[in-house]
Each structure stands twice: as C-alpha cells, then as structure tokens.
Amino acid sequence: DVSSEEGKGTTFEIYLPASEGKPDSENVSHSEHLEKGTETILLVDDEQQVLEVGEDILKALGYTPLLARSGEEALEIYEEQRDRIDLVILDMIMPGMSGGKTYDELKGINNGVKVLLTSGYAVEGQADTILKRGCNGFIQKPFTIMGLSAKTREILDGIYNPN
C-alpha cells in the first residue's frame, strides 16, 4: 500500500507472507560455538575503530593481540616479534603500503607466515590475487565474532581450505 500526503511525505507498506519453514542449518559454514586460542595475533588495519573492536574480540577469544595502524608499522612489529606472532590479520586496503605489498614483505621476512586477509570488498579481484600468491584465507568485513573465531582457528590449525 502507498499513501502520500503533500508536504508530509510518502509511506510504503509492504506485506510479506510468513514462512512456516525453518532456517537451513546446512549452509552454516562454521561451528555453533566460539573457537578460542592462546596464540599471539598481529592485527593490521588503518581504521582505529576496527583495531579497537578487533582487539576486544581477540582478547575475548583468548588471544594476545598486537596492533599495527599501517603496513609499515606491521613490518616493524613483525620483524621485532616474529617468533611470538602466530597469525597476521591484514587489511587489504590501506593508505601508504597496501595489504598486498605488506603481505609480500611479510613473506620476504618469513615465507611461512600465516595471514588472514580482511576487506570490506568481496574476495574477487585484488584479494583473489593475494590469495593465489599463498595468503592463507580471507574474511569479509564486517565480520562476526563467530566468523573470525572459526577462520582464525582454521588457519592456525592448518585446516583452512580457500575453495
């Protein structure tokens, strides 16, 4: 139904039928419980809010987070603490050194580095090319605590399959 009143605006009312079906649980890609750990994770993002929320999530999951606000800062931290860092969660789009360039530099420091790529954009395109260069996984922003906990554990435990 549509009703419109000059000077007041227009109202649209949409009626959708109720469904008696239940949600399809087969399409759930991760477990129903939080996957926790004790490893150290370097979180790299140029957005302060993402760093703050990410730090809180990682702490809640039991991890020790280290934070970097740029690719350059991430490389400095990684070079100093690479023996402590078990995983890097890396934003793809950052000013200055991009996520792709940062990934390549991290691989130059340690060919076995584990990296979870994040982006607000879909995996197709630039993220896909980084994954093909050996990046361990991808999670799209905004991610949930459930999604992040599952992807993090999959990569840390070596069971992530990007296909």
Side-chain angles (χ1 to χ4, degrees):
D1 293 333
V2 177
S3 60
S4 184
E5 202 172 323
E6 190 173 325
K8 296 220 177 193
T10 304
T11 302
F12 293 87
E13 293 179 274
I14 301 171
Y15 303 92
L16 301 173
S19 172
E20 292 181 23
K22 295 185 179 181
D24 184 3
S25 62
E26 290 180 24
N27 292 330
V28 176
S29 63
H30 49 77
S31 64
E32 303 248 343
H33 67 282
L34 292 175
E35 302 284 341
K36 297 184 177 187
T38 58
E39 292 89 347
T40 298
I41 298 177
L42 175 57
L43 176 61
V44 186
D45 202 294
D46 62 306
E47 295 180 43
Q48 186 63 33
Q49 186 175 9
V50 172
L51 287 175
E52 290 171 3
V53 171
E55 179 181 29
D56 290 344
I57 289 172
L58 291 171
K59 284 181 178 177
L61 293 172
Y63 298 107
T64 301
L66 302 174
L67 307 178
R69 289 158 187 79
S70 67
E72 295 87 356
E73 186 179 0
L75 293 174
E76 288 175 23
I77 293 170
Y78 193 79
E79 284 179 339
E80 293 171 6
Q81 302 190 49
R82 71 182 268 188
D83 294 336
R84 278 187 63 211
I85 298 171
D86 300 291
L87 175 68
V88 178
I89 299 176
L90 177 63
D91 185 24
M92 188 177 80
I93 306 296
M94 296 184 291
M97 185 180 288
S98 69
K101 176 71 172 158
T102 304
Y103 172 75
D104 292 340
E105 295 288 327
L106 288 168
K107 289 291 277 188
I109 297 168
N110 174 12
N111 194 45
V113 64
K114 292 182 179 181
V115 178
L116 174 60
L117 191 63
T118 69
S119 177
Y121 299 98
V123 71
E124 293 83 17
Q126 189 178 1
D128 192 44
T129 62
I130 298 169
L131 286 168
K132 287 178 180 172
R133 293 199 310 260
C135 189
N136 301 90
F138 175 82
I139 188 168
Q140 189 164 357
K141 294 181 198 175
F143 42 79
T144 64
I145 190 170
M146 293 292 287
L148 183 61
S149 76
K151 290 275 191 195
T152 300
R153 280 292 6 130
E154 288 171 359
I155 293 172
L156 287 168
D157 295 341
I159 57 173
Y160 182 74
N161 181 2
N163 297 325

